[in-house]
Amino acid sequence: MALTTTAVGSYPKPDYLAQARTQFSQGKIDRQELAKLEKQATEYWVRSQERLGLDVLVHGEMERGDMVAYFAGEPGGSTIGGMELGGLVRSYGNRYYHNTVIVGNLAWPGPMTVEMRRYTQGLTDRPVKGMLTGAYTMVEWSFDDHYASRRDAVLDMAQVIRREVEELVKAGCKYIQIDEPAIHTRPEEDFDLAVEAMAKTVEGIDAEFHTHICYGEVEKIYPAMLRLPVKQIHLAFKNTDFAYLKLIEQFGYAGGKKDLGVGVTDVHTRFLEPVEEVVDGIKRTLKLLPPDRLWNYPDRGL
């Protein structure tokens, strides 16, 4: 049985698009010109994924700069009601992004990702995932100047993301990935809240939900993360030399309920793994789970 292949979400922006985004933020080009170049770059990555033979495609997030700021007023992005951009924050190295601030009651502003996903699906006969940032990460990576508690903010955000999910499904989206890279930030304090927020986001909706959990102390939320009401959890296996296999050996992987997304290439290195090395990682995973429950990915977005 063949293994399913896909990508996490983001691809690099071509130089012409990176320059155009800067020009747009400076008022030198209009939104129409920027959108044209975003779609041009999106088609490039769709064709690249088709040539590679991936089974489930992503649109590459050419219209997004930061996975949270895009939904809070990033130039060219959408703005969730009650959110705004703050000042610049250093992420790592020389990478900066605008922090996001919750200043009022959170409210869905209307479709934020549907148009680009619909455009991308129109380019290919292979399924294209819907891509959203989860409620827990949206709040965790924002400053909250409004809500009395994190719980109130996270659950209101879950309702906002759910509305977007509903619109994606109406537009024919079968697979929806809800990224929660911050979910293991404070496991002893409010991991239950993260699970509750995911439930409010997805339960009762007819789609297959996946979640991507980023680098971090996954061992602190395993096996509790198996309570997340999603079909598939994706983890960065390669960066940890497949150490997560030990957790699966010890605690199992939710019986026959969930598929496992396995990161088989480390995106934080500057070399390409030999094919034999990638194959070896896949074979190690196949000792624990059958091929029909495994999806192969890079460790994270590219």
Side-chain angles (χ1 to χ4, degrees), residues 7 14 76 107 129 152 170 177 179 213 227 237 276 285 302:
K129 286 190 285 189
D152 291 342
K170 287 179 184 177
Q177 181 178 302
D179 294 324
I213 296 176
R227 293 162 39 211
F237 274 77
E276 296 77 15
T285 311
L302 295 168

Side-chain angles (χ1 to χ4, degrees), residues 155-215:
L155 295 184
D156 272 10
M157 184 67 78
Q159 294 295 340
V160 172
I161 305 302
R162 180 183 180 89
R163 284 292 292 114
E164 188 68 14
V165 166
E166 290 171 344
E167 293 301 311
L168 284 168
V169 173
K170 287 179 184 177
C173 192
K174 177 182 177 182
Y175 300 104
I176 299 177
Q177 181 178 302
I178 300 178
D179 294 324
E180 282 289 11
I183 201 169
H184 41 47
T185 302
R186 51 183 89 231
E188 295 86 0
E189 182 179 332
D190 59 9
F191 183 74
D192 288 347
L193 173 61
V195 176
E196 183 180 358
M198 184 68 78
K200 285 188 175 295
T201 302
V202 308
E203 286 188 342
I205 297 178
D206 185 16
E208 181 171 313
F209 291 98
H210 302 174
T211 189
H212 164 65
I213 296 176
C214 207
Y215 303 113

Side-chain angles (χ1 to χ4, degrees), residues 109-128:
M112 298 177 283
T113 65
V114 174
E115 179 183 354
M116 182 59 85
R117 189 264 166 193
R118 183 183 284 121
Y119 166 77
T120 308
Q121 187 63 78
L123 298 172
T124 181
D125 59 1
R126 304 186 189 196
V128 176

